[in-house]
Amino acid sequence: MSEELVDAIADMRDEEAVELAGRLLEQGTPPLEVLEDCRKAMAIVGQRFEAEEYFIPELILAGETLRAISEIVKPRLSGTDGAAKNGKIVLGTVAGDIHDIGKDIVSFMLDVNGFEVFDLGVDVPPETFVAKVREVHPEVVALSGFLTLSFDAMRDTVDALEEAGLRGGVKIMIGGGTVDENVRAYARADAYGDTAADAVKLAKSWTGVKVR
Amino acid sequence: MTSGIAATPGLATDAGKSPERLLAERTARLEDAFALRKPDRVPIIMPASYFLAGWGGVSNQRLAEDDDIRQRILEDAALHFQPDSIIGVFNDPRAPLALGDRMTKFPGHGQSENGPFQFVEHEFMTPEDYGPFLKDPADWSIRVYLPRAFAKLEGLAALPPLGMAAFGTYNLMNLGGFRKPAIADALRALLAAAEGQAAADAWNAASAERLAELGFPQPPLVGSLIEAPFDFMSDTLRGMRGVMTDMLRRPELLLEAEQRVLDIQLEHAIAFNRATGLRSAFIPLHRGSDGFMSIAQFERFYWPQLREMQLRLIDAGITPVCFYEGVWNKRLDYIADLPRGKTIGWFQRSDIFAVKEVAGKTLCIMGGMPNTLLQAGTPEEVRDRTREVCQRVGAGGGFVMATGIGEMEGCRPDLVETWVQATREFGAV
């Protein structure tokens, strides 16, 4: 492990981190080891975000650093990253709504906490959620929405999972700008969260991962 | 003319009053609240927007595009619900559609006729654009930004440097280039957009006049529209991802650009308000709320510029009306530090009771009713919430009841009725 690389990523020295990753690979460090350092660094970034030392600027910059390093690592990878995951989560912003900020933060935080996240993007119709759930059998479905109109789309999505006979197999969390307990009851979801940290806590409790 | 009140039960206190008298009473009620005085009862503003489509039985698109229908439904809703002021659809599609606006989506255009208005963020300005932008914002905006942001203005990219206009008669030799089809098309699109916007302005003026005849004053956010300098850089230029990386990668450039757009917007707002006689500037805030940036970042990139903006507006006799989107619970002390009685704050999801406690002596507070409750609550819950907010936030004045968001689409009409009536009942505090 390169502590120097982990620190550079986690401390927001992005240019230095990318340069360092390139040098490590040149020197013969196995690509998977560089990726593992990235994972460790991202976990630190996630912890600092939860502790409110870091905010969205740091999450975005860390994400960009990771992307830049992945680009130089990928050509050198033969197999796949076989790290075991905590559980599967299907995530998306519901139909009619194109807001992605909150969803992306939740996706990031779930990912750095060891979940396999299937991010369906924005304006996702109920049938797309149903198809993905049928395909990957996730433990958790996470619905995001910012517009007031998204409450209906959330309810429609929950209904669609119910009609497809998939509701019993998943826990459903919802979140976004105006979501609260009223909306949770309205959409008949299992829980709602105000923050990305809430999403992680819910996912961990539902999949039996020990909550820190 | 009748006031229309007789049609609605439960509003006995205003029954039989003439529209002229209602207009005067409502205006005084709102003015008292804005000035932190105690009104006769808590005023209520209904930011109805696309709620009017469902309520009036037309599509969102029809509501946005049919001037007569829009006015009829707006008047019907005002008379039916009897708020102290009502806001209809905020964004007019005429100019954006005429220009092929890439940052907005309107009902029936790229989405279903009942889809909502949405703002689509892009990174129209790249990091490399900071140099040209800071050197000459107007030239960069017209020749680089507009062609990127509006499909029908792509031709403007072919214009010569705008500063050459100062070369007087010698520059006329460059005019031949303006006949290029791309430039001519762009100029025609601009003219069409100007005509569309002029029609929208005329509708707005006539609509306000008509509502006043019926007894309803204009809401306080009618005035110039500007943004916190950070949000200006974020929303229409760099995009949130871009501006947030700028905070870490090129902070000095971002700060310099914020100062430029602060000055440009103030020059605009002061001239606009002088020309129209309107007295407020509406400032919807987007990225300064809890969660987006740290307090240290807020103190460097967001608040000083927004504070300066508000102070300079106040000096010019203009009332800043900030929409504090999201949650500002950890930033209320900054708000409390603004000049007393000179600004209005509309709060979306902040703890409205904490806002009252910390900043209630500083500014008039608007908000208090979560949209979710009017959409998915029960009449009892709506009454309970209204009572608590009226009693605790309305105490001593300086409060205007409103929904947290300026969009009531999806709210249940019966719950809206309950809410308005409960505000009358419990608002006399």
Side-chain angles (χ1 to χ4, degrees), chain B residues 235-255:
Chain B
D235 289 356
T236 53
L237 292 171
R238 293 283 291 126
M240 190 196 76
R241 271 161 234 279
V243 84
M244 295 252 161
T245 49
D246 293 344
M247 289 167 72
L248 299 170
R249 277 182 174 159
R250 49 193 79 81
E252 297 304 331
L253 284 177
L254 173 58
L255 288 170

Side-chain angles (χ1 to χ4, degrees), chain B residues 297-308:
Chain B
Q297 289 163 338
F298 178 77
E299 284 189 349
R300 186 175 179 203
F301 293 100
Y302 202 91
W303 187 252
Q305 298 81 1
L306 174 59
R307 184 168 187 276
E308 183 184 340

Side-chain angles (χ1 to χ4, degrees), chain B residues 60 78 110 114 133 159 168 204 239 252 290 304 346 361 371 380 388 418 428:
Chain B
N60 282 0
N114 281 316
F133 173 77
L159 286 173
N204 276 322
E252 297 304 331
D290 295 349
W346 184 1
K361 289 191 168 61
N371 291 59
E380 293 69 37
E388 189 179 14
T418 303

Side-chain angles (χ1 to χ4, degrees), chain B residues 45-107:
Chain B
I45 294 180
M46 201 178 140
S49 193
Y50 285 105
F51 166 80
L52 297 175
W55 192 74
V58 299
S59 69
N60 282 0
Q61 184 177 5
R62 185 96 194 269
L63 183 78
E65 295 179 13
D66 187 324
D67 285 353
D68 295 336
I69 293 272
R70 186 164 65 255
Q71 182 61 24
R72 183 179 60 69
I73 298 176
L74 183 61
E75 288 176 18
D76 283 354
L79 292 172
H80 179 87
F81 294 101
Q82 295 283 336
D84 289 296
S85 184
I86 187 166
I87 306 169
V89 175
F90 204 71
N91 302 84
D92 192 280
R94 276 172 272 214
L97 293 177
L99 293 179
D101 184 353
R102 294 188 167 112
M103 68 190 97
T104 52
K105 274 173 83 174
F106 284 90

